[in-house]
Amino acid sequence: MSAFRQLLLEVGVAEDWTWDQAMKAIINDPRYASLRTLNEKKTVFFDVLEELRAKERSNNQRIHRSAREDFVQMLKESPNFHPMMSFEYVLLEYFFFESFSSFIYRKAVEFLESDTRYVAVPEDERRELFERFSSEIDQTQRKEQKVQRKRHMKLLKELLSGMHSITHLTTWKEARAMLPSTVNLDRLDESDQIAVFEAHIHWLRSQHAEQSELNLEQTRKKHRKDREMFRQLIEEKIAFRFLTAKTTFSEFVEHCKDDVRYRVMSEQPLETTKQLFQDAHESLKEAYRIDKKNIRAIVEKNLLDPSSESTAGRVMQLMTEQNIQLRSDANVVFVLKQLGEKVSEKRDRDDEGHSKRHKHKHKRGEHTEHSENNDKLGEQ
């Protein structure tokens, strides 16, 4: 079988031969008889034909593929190729880019037809290859543009971040005027420039808001601490009996103005300081009102002299014995003083009334005696 096959190849059997053509070329060769039957000979013949045709198809495909690749390479070599150009424009530009406007398209085609890379591709495939290549170039350029756009936007962002003169209140117009003269913004569309700037300003505003909130919270904490220290100052003055129900705010201020716990309150509204004082003062006045009622009842019940120096100690002793709560020792002194003043005022009024009655009685006596003398003189 191999001898018969070799015979067919040696006589140059082609893929388009018929069996009759092959018979004429091989019948006189001794190897023709290497196969006994006609069917065996035809089988080998047709197998050889199929191999030749397959090889031809493969070769044609290779040539066709190479021709298409060469055509694409021709497009790549176009010095001013742009994916948005028309197919005809690229043909002219490739061959006549220096002065193509001086040639008419017919002349360009005539010239193109002599280029093996152009003519090797069937006409119906040229536009398809061009459009595919154009699409690939377009995608590549778009990806590159996206990468470049992203890079330039990042550079602008970094530049703005390093410019401390730009604040959350800066406008784009003001920011552009601050940019170094070496900065070229033409690589970015104006919309991209503004987008980067606005994103940076948004970040600055958020930072400013966070810092403002942090500062405000720190101020609130300090004010709370200052108010607590001021309350301690008030409690201290109450404990030392300087601050009583009778103390005025101006007296308190004059006494405490040099104390650091009062001075720190100057950072807060005066009304706050007054309110803290009044809160404590109201409690003192309420305590004074209750103590006054209890002290007065003990003095009256036990007929104590409020002006006596020993009365204060006696009152506190009696309140302890009777389980009566005393809010402040100072209230005993204030109440007894007030009661003593009232007793003194009453005594003064009584003395004055007695003196007036005595004078009035004396005058009446003199008037009676004078009348009697007048009556005696009349009788005489």
Side-chain angles (χ1 to χ4, degrees):
M1 184 179 293
S2 60
F4 188 80
R5 183 178 182 280
Q6 183 63 33
L7 172 60
L8 292 173
L9 294 175
E10 287 181 3
V11 299
V13 172
E15 67 272 8
D16 58 346
W17 277 27
T18 64
W19 172 245
D20 290 338
Q21 286 178 294
M23 280 286 291
K24 292 177 181 179
I26 64 175
I27 194 168
N28 295 322
D29 193 293
R31 289 174 290 183
Y32 177 78
S34 61
L35 294 176
R36 296 176 59 187
T37 66
L38 182 61
N39 285 337
E40 288 178 332
K41 295 173 183 178
K42 284 187 175 182
T43 299
V44 174
F45 169 74
F46 287 118
D47 287 345
V48 170
L49 287 185
E50 185 58 33
E51 290 176 6
L52 291 173
R53 288 169 183 168
K55 186 176 181 180
E56 179 66 18
R57 286 195 300 270
S58 176
N59 187 51
N60 289 339
Q61 289 174 356
R62 182 185 60 78
I63 294 172
H64 184 253
R65 184 169 55 252
S66 177
R68 290 168 66 92
E69 291 173 355
D70 290 342
F71 185 86
V72 172
Q73 183 61 33
M74 179 186 71
L75 296 177
K76 289 181 179 179
E77 293 173 2
S78 177
N80 295 310
F81 178 80
H82 189 280
M84 299 304 292
M85 295 176 183
S86 68
F87 177 61
E88 291 78 7
Y89 179 87
V90 173
L91 296 180
L92 286 169
E93 185 70 8
Y94 174 70
F95 289 100
F96 310 117
F97 66 91
E98 293 182 354
S99 58
F100 73 91
S101 60
S102 63
F103 292 85
I104 59 175
Y105 181 66
R106 183 177 58 82
K107 294 293 184 182
V109 172
E110 290 176 359
F111 186 81
L112 288 172
E113 289 176 344
S114 64
D115 190 299
T116 55
R117 294 179 296 181
Y118 177 79
V119 297
V121 176
E123 185 175 357
D124 59 341
E125 294 185 26
R126 292 170 191 158
R127 187 175 295 277
E128 177 239 327
L129 288 173
F130 167 79
E131 291 177 354
R132 182 186 301 176
F133 176 73
S134 177
S135 177
E136 292 174 357
I137 292 296
D138 182 45
Q139 291 178 8
T140 301
Q141 289 183 351
R142 286 179 182 275
K143 288 180 181 179
E144 179 61 23
Q145 288 171 357
K146 189 177 292 186
V147 170
Q148 291 300 320
R149 174 175 175 265
K150 186 175 181 180
R151 187 174 74 87
H152 290 307
M153 290 179 75
K154 181 181 179 182
L155 290 174
L156 179 57
K157 178 183 177 182
E158 293 173 351
L159 177 63
L160 295 174
S161 299
M163 296 177 63
H164 302 299
S165 55
I166 295 179
T167 70
H168 65 288
L169 300 176
T170 306
T171 64
W172 172 232
K173 182 178 180 180
E174 294 169 339
R176 288 199 63 169
M178 298 177 190
L179 293 174
S181 58
T182 55
V183 175
N184 183 10
L185 295 177
D186 295 339
R187 295 177 179 144
L188 280 176
D189 292 339
E190 187 172 2
S191 58
D192 287 337
Q193 298 173 23
I194 295 174
V196 173
F197 173 76
E198 288 181 346
H200 180 63
I201 290 299
H202 178 75
W203 180 80
L204 287 177
R205 287 172 180 168
S206 64
Q207 291 294 106
H208 176 76
E210 289 177 8
Q211 188 60 46
S212 298
E213 184 62 29
L214 180 61
N215 294 341
L216 182 60
E217 183 57 29
Q218 290 176 344
T219 301
R220 288 171 181 163
K221 287 182 180 179
K222 184 180 184 303
H223 284 179
R224 283 195 296 269
K225 183 179 179 181
D226 292 345
R227 289 194 294 272
E228 186 59 33
M229 291 177 63
F230 186 69
R231 290 190 184 96
Q232 292 175 3
L233 174 63
I234 291 176
E235 292 172 1
E236 180 182 300
K237 296 305 177 183
I238 291 175
F240 284 99
R241 299 183 182 178
F242 173 78
L243 179 55
T244 67
K246 301 298 181 180
T247 307
T248 64
F249 179 69
S250 58
E251 291 171 340
F252 176 80
V253 170
E254 183 62 27
H255 181 76
C256 301
K257 63 183 180 180
D258 295 329
D259 194 299
V260 65
R261 292 169 292 181
Y262 172 78
R263 291 202 306 271
V264 295
M265 289 299 293
S266 63
E267 299 176 7
Q268 302 187 44
L270 181 61
E271 289 73 13
T272 303
T273 307
K274 281 186 177 181
Q275 187 61 51
L276 293 173
F277 172 83
Q278 289 172 358
D279 291 344
H281 199 247
E282 286 297 323
S283 298
L284 291 173
K285 288 196 293 185
E286 178 62 18
Y288 177 78
R289 184 186 67 78
I290 296 172
D291 283 348
K292 179 180 178 181
K293 179 181 178 181
N294 294 331
I295 294 169
R296 185 171 182 175
I298 287 175
V299 169
E300 291 177 352
K301 181 178 179 180
N302 295 277
L303 302 176
L304 301 176
D305 180 8
S307 59
S308 173
E309 294 182 357
S310 62
T311 301
R314 180 60 179 159
V315 168
M316 287 188 284
Q317 179 185 357
L318 290 171
M319 290 183 73
T320 302
E321 293 173 356
Q322 298 175 28
N323 293 323
I324 299 174
Q325 182 183 0
L326 179 62
R327 273 73 179 172
S328 173
D329 294 352
N331 288 340
V332 177
V333 177
F334 289 137
V335 173
L336 291 179
K337 181 179 179 182
Q338 188 180 46
L339 292 176
E341 289 174 350
K342 288 184 177 180
V343 170
S344 178
E345 290 175 359
K346 185 175 182 301
R347 186 183 296 118
D348 291 342
R349 287 196 300 272
D350 290 345
D351 291 344
E352 184 179 354
H354 178 73
S355 176
K356 287 182 179 179
R357 286 195 298 273
H358 178 74
K359 290 180 180 180
H360 181 67
K361 183 177 180 181
H362 179 70
K363 287 182 179 180
R364 286 184 60 187
E366 291 181 350
H367 179 71
T368 302
E369 184 180 353
H370 181 70
S371 298
E372 290 176 354
N373 291 333
N374 287 338
D375 289 342
K376 289 181 182 180
L377 291 174
E379 292 177 355
Q380 293 177 358

